[in-house]
Amino acid sequence: MSVLSCEWGWLCTNYYHGGTHATTRNYTGRRHASGYACQSGNQRNRRTPRDAAVFTDAAGYLQLLSWARSLGCLRRAGIEGTGTYGAGLTRLLRDQKIEVVEVNRPDRAARRSRGKSDPVDAENAARAVLAGRASAIPKAQSGAAEAMRMASVARRSAVKAKTQTINQLRALLVSAPQEIRERLLKAKTAECVANCARLRSLGSTSMLQTLRTTLRLLAKRWLALAEELKVLDRMLEQLTSQYAKRLRERFGVGPQTAAVLMAAAGDNPERLKNEAAMAALCGTSPLQASSGKTVRHRLNKGGDRAANNALWTIAMVRMRSDSRTRVYVERRTKEGMSHKEIHRCLKRYIVRELYPLILADLNDSIRCDPLDIGASTRRWSGCFAA
């Protein structure tokens, strides 16, 4: 048999401590791959699958690439999870000038009929690439949009932790003895935290000593998270001011919302074919729900929910403060539309307005040296450490 060509698909299921099969296998992090090689002679049009398993490290990636090329000319690679566990392999293949395609998880109906295993999933990924069902372009994750995504992820978790901390602190004060509650529980959060952080003693009993220590720890945690948020906000402000200038000029678009939208678009703008694709990515494209003589559309609950929330925030700001948007809301209300329906329409219109600005900002950011972003990040890190 002589190999004429081959195309590949592999599934990144066993990456972190054996992934989904850590309890049944003794290795740590193996990747299953499936390739198709065309036979020569009388069986020229028949594709024969080949399987392999390698460790998910740099040496394993090179071994996988060498194995793939041993079967023929490697044209395309289908990878599931290019933005998470498959990111390392994606970068290696792109460095080798190999086209990488994002493969979605296997169809549930096909999985029920064929069963679930790593070789089967890898084969399904290869078939999806060969058949053209898998055609999504992975995000580059190498520029300003990725830097904004990192800062946004850290900020989102910090905001959540800060809210949980003050809720826990107030809950402890509500159930505390009357004298302590009246002295420490204040309506203003900053004043309440400051009082708890300055606590010296509440009493000699074990309960009061534990309460005093817990309140001080929670107060110090809240103050640390508040300082962390200030640093992250400065990072987003500088990143968006430098790499999302056009987007920031629009009414209602702040540093957080601009960073989320840029991160959703990614560092390679060729992924977005048109503004309808951007709307679908943000979950603002209406979906048909017609049946018989009934013609209607329903809410799209898919897409990037963080980007959808950013559009919701921009629409809310404009509904409150933008005169043009307020006139639109008044007109649509007279037509009988509900507040939620008007909000959904506004989000779709906002995508149409911001889409060309996002593309222009992304194209400008691509021309910048990525080292400049790293230098800025190091400066912010040093500021936070100080």
Side-chain angles (χ1 to χ4, degrees):
M1 177 177 64
S2 61
V3 178
L4 302 179
S5 65
C6 62
E7 298 182 0
W8 298 96
W10 40 76
L11 178 67
C12 184
T13 54
N14 291 358
Y15 190 92
Y16 180 73
H17 296 298
T20 57
H21 302 280
T23 58
T24 59
R25 304 191 179 185
N26 296 325
Y27 55 78
T28 300
R30 293 177 72 90
R31 182 187 302 279
H32 286 261
S34 180
Y36 283 81
C38 294
Q39 293 181 344
S40 61
N42 295 331
Q43 296 178 331
R44 181 179 298 272
N45 296 325
R46 180 181 176 184
R47 290 186 174 94
T48 303
R50 305 285 185 87
D51 296 325
V54 297
F55 284 95
T56 51
D57 52 16
Y61 294 156
L62 293 175
Q63 179 184 352
L64 185 61
L65 180 61
S66 176
W67 172 76
R69 285 175 168 169
S70 68
L71 299 178
C73 178
L74 181 59
R75 298 177 180 176
R76 289 183 292 169
I79 304 177
E80 181 178 347
T82 57
T84 54
Y85 293 139
L89 180 59
T90 301
R91 295 189 189 98
L92 173 67
L93 295 176
R94 280 179 163 170
D95 292 341
Q96 298 295 323
K97 308 302 180 182
I98 298 171
E99 180 186 357
V100 179
V101 179
E102 173 75 33
V103 178
N104 295 327
R105 66 179 184 179
D107 182 70
R108 292 184 178 181
R111 175 173 288 186
R112 284 194 296 268
S113 62
R114 297 190 60 187
K116 168 71 174 70
S117 69
D118 290 338
V120 169
D121 288 343
E123 181 180 343
N124 289 336
R127 291 181 183 275
V129 175
L130 288 170
R133 296 193 306 272
S135 58
I137 302 175
K139 291 184 178 181
Q141 295 183 317
S142 59
E146 178 64 11
M148 296 179 195
R149 186 192 70 84
M150 295 176 182
S152 298
V153 169
R155 186 184 187 279
R156 193 178 303 120
S157 62
V159 169
K160 183 178 180 180
K162 183 182 175 185
T163 303
Q164 291 176 339
T165 301
I166 190 60
N167 289 341
Q168 293 168 353
L169 190 146
R170 288 186 179 277
L172 289 175
L173 290 177
V174 167
S175 60
Q178 182 69 22
E179 180 185 353
I180 298 175
R181 182 170 68 250
E182 293 178 352
R183 179 159 59 99
L184 299 178
L185 185 58
K186 304 297 180 180
K188 295 183 178 180
T189 300
E191 186 178 354
C192 181
V193 170
N195 291 338
C196 293
R198 291 193 302 263
L199 273 179
R200 295 301 179 185
S201 176
L202 292 177
S204 58
T205 64
S206 59
M207 187 275 291
L208 292 177
Q209 290 177 355
T210 303
L211 177 61
R212 171 248 182 193
T213 303
T214 304
L215 291 176
R216 288 194 63 183
L217 289 174
L218 290 174
K220 290 180 180 179
R221 182 189 303 175
W222 189 93
L223 293 172
L225 290 170
E227 185 63 28
E228 182 179 333
L229 281 173
K230 291 180 182 179
V231 175
L232 292 170
D233 287 340
R234 287 198 297 268
M235 291 175 61
L236 290 175
E237 176 68 31
Q238 295 185 29
L239 282 171
T240 54
S241 298
Q242 183 176 359
Y243 299 104
K245 296 179 181 179
R246 298 176 181 85
L247 200 58
R248 287 291 307 276
E249 291 176 354
R250 309 310 297 177
F251 188 90
V253 181
Q256 286 81 33
T257 53
V260 170
L261 292 176
M262 291 284 287
D267 286 303
N268 38 343
E270 67 274 9
R271 298 175 62 248
L272 304 174
K273 305 301 181 182
N274 48 48
E275 53 100 6
M278 183 68 185
L281 180 63
C282 297
T284 58
S285 57
L287 301 179
Q288 289 192 359
S290 304
S291 178
K293 296 181 179 181
T294 303
V295 179
R296 59 181 292 270
H297 293 79
R298 68 173 178 85
L299 176 66
N300 186 353
K301 296 183 179 181
D304 190 327
R305 304 317 298 173
N308 189 282
N309 179 261
L311 293 173
W312 183 93
T313 303
I314 297 172
M316 181 61 68
V317 171
R318 293 186 175 187
M319 290 171 69
R320 292 176 178 176
S321 307
D322 185 37
S323 58
R324 184 183 59 170
T325 305
R326 297 182 68 175
V327 171
Y328 172 82
V329 172
E330 183 179 355
R331 177 172 61 85
R332 299 295 272 180
T333 302
K334 292 179 180 179
E335 294 176 0
M337 293 186 66
S338 65
H339 183 81
K340 290 184 178 180
E341 291 173 336
I342 296 173
H343 212 139
R344 294 168 191 167
C345 293
L346 281 174
K347 289 193 293 185
R348 183 63 180 85
Y349 292 146
I350 291 172
V351 170
R352 183 174 300 168
E353 174 189 351
L354 301 184
Y355 171 72
L357 305 179
I358 293 174
L359 288 188
D361 286 334
L362 287 175
N363 287 323
D364 288 346
S365 68
I366 291 174
R367 302 187 188 98
C368 298
D369 187 359
L371 293 179
D372 293 342
I373 300 175
S376 300
T377 304
R378 287 191 293 273
R379 288 196 301 270
W380 294 320
S381 300
C383 178
F384 179 66

